[in-house]
């Protein structure tokens, strides 16, 4: 009889590609992973791992069993979700992530409401960029991830995920107080063609969106500074070092010396939450989605 926890270890090793990656995902030591795999090999009666340089790789038998393990674990999760749904209880552990401005703008209200309304629910949250959050939900390391895409650049989602809208987040351009457009009721994005931009890190989804959007308007952006956090970007704007995109979510309080100029194109981010389809019936998932939507409505209402 194959042991479920050992199948879970094999699944983590297949998904993460290394013993250390599996150990980190499972919150165990690398020694524990190796021991579980050795026991699973004895149960299966076949070699599942082979040496690959300093690491390991799955053998043909290992890959075959890992494929079965992924399906078995998905069915187990579906069974657990059905049992939770039948009991109707919001309990157990729920692991969530959000990109930084959503973690600041949504999580305090949403997670406090969940803790107050469902004291048997244990919450674990972290900040992650959208792509990383989605990847961890797919792998089963997270239950939910709050992610985003832009009005003109959707983010592709893998199969097997469900999503729910949280809010549409309007974005302005933040400029220094003495900027030539600071007093304008609205401006066209093309009017910032000569400005130096403060943007996100290279390769991040929001940075790629900004480059894509500016170039689609015939503007080759001048990137002066990069910062992951909105408030760091706004601090650089306050110092007169450039302009940045400033979505409504998570930007308050605005630093002194910064003015936001609405864009004529009505630039918006679509903020939503994703989870695995096989966990769709879990009451804790439903409760979290409702709490996040309520937090989003509060942000939209100002």
């Amino acid at each position: 009889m194959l042991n479920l926890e050992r199948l879970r270890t094999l699944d983590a090793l297949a998904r993460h590609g290394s013993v250390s990656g599996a150990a980190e995902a499972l919150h165990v030591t690398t020694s524990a992973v190796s021991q579980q795999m050795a026991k699973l090999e004895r149960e299966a009666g076949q070699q599942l791992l082979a040496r690959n340089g300093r690491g390991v790789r799955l053998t043909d038998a290992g890959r075959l069993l890992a494929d079965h393990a992924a399906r078995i674990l998905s069915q187990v999760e579906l069974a657990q979700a059905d049992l939770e749904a039948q009991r109707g209880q919001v309990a157990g552990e729920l692991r969530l992530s959000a990109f930084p401005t959503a973690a600041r703008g949504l999580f305090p209200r949403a997670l406090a409401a969940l803790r107050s309304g469902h004291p048997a629910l244990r919450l674990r949250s972290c900040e992650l960029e959208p792509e990383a959050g989605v990847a961890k939900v797919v792998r089963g390391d997270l239950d939910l991830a709050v992610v985003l895409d832009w009005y003109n650049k959707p983010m592709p989602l893998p199969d097997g995920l469900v999503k729910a809208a949280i809010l549409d987040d309007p974005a302005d351009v933040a400029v220094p107080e003495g900027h030539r457009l600071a007093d304008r009721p609205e401006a066209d994005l093309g009017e910032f063609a000569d400005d130096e931009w403060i943007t996100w890190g290279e390769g991040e989804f929001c940075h790629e969106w900004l480059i894509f959007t500016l170039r689609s308007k015939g503007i080759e952006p001048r990137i002066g500074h990069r910062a992951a956090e909105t408030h760091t970007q706004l601090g650089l704007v306050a110092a007169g070092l450039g302009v940045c995109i400033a979505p409504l979510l998570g930007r308050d309080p605005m630093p002194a010396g910064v003015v936001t100029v609405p864009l004529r194109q009505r630039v918006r981010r679509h903020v939503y939450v994703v989870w695995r389809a096989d966990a769709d019936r879990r009451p804790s998932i439903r409760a979290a989605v409702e709490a996040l939507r309520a937090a989003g409505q509060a942000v939209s209402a100002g």
Side-chain angles (χ1 to χ4, degrees), residues 38 41 48 61 80 99 101 105 109 118 134 138 152 154 178 184 250 256 277 283:
E41 286 186 327
L48 304 176
Q80 291 173 333
F99 57 94
T101 51
R109 184 187 296 267
H118 308 287
V134 167
V138 169
N152 60 341
R184 290 276 292 276

Side-chain angles (χ1 to χ4, degrees), residues 192-202 207 210-211 214 220-227 233 236-237 240-244:
F192 296 93
D194 295 328
D195 283 285
E196 197 167 38
W197 284 91
I198 299 161
T199 182
W200 298 267
E202 183 75 38
H207 169 77
L210 179 62
I211 301 301
L214 290 172
E220 185 56 38
R222 297 169 53 218
I223 305 300
H225 306 278
R226 300 178 187 275
Q233 294 183 12
L236 294 170
V237 172
L241 297 173
V243 303
C244 74

Side-chain angles (χ1 to χ4, degrees), residues 235-300:
L236 294 170
V237 172
L241 297 173
V243 303
C244 74
I245 294 292
L248 176 63
L249 181 63
R251 75 186 183 195
D252 291 333
M254 292 288 290
V258 176
V259 175
T260 55
V261 181
L263 287 166
R264 197 169 287 119
Q265 296 89 351
R266 297 295 182 262
V267 171
R268 289 181 178 273
R269 302 190 299 183
H270 306 304
V271 179
Y272 51 98
V273 59
V274 299
W275 63 95
R276 294 183 306 282
D278 55 19
D280 192 45
R281 295 186 63 194
R282 287 177 58 189
S284 55
I285 296 282
R286 293 294 165 190
V289 172
E290 290 174 11
L292 287 164
R293 279 179 161 164
Q297 289 170 0
V299 170
S300 298

Side-chain angles (χ1 to χ4, degrees), residues 26 29 42 130 154 158 190 194 234 236 287 300:
L26 296 170
T29 63
R42 289 196 293 272
D194 295 328
L234 292 172
L236 294 170
S300 298

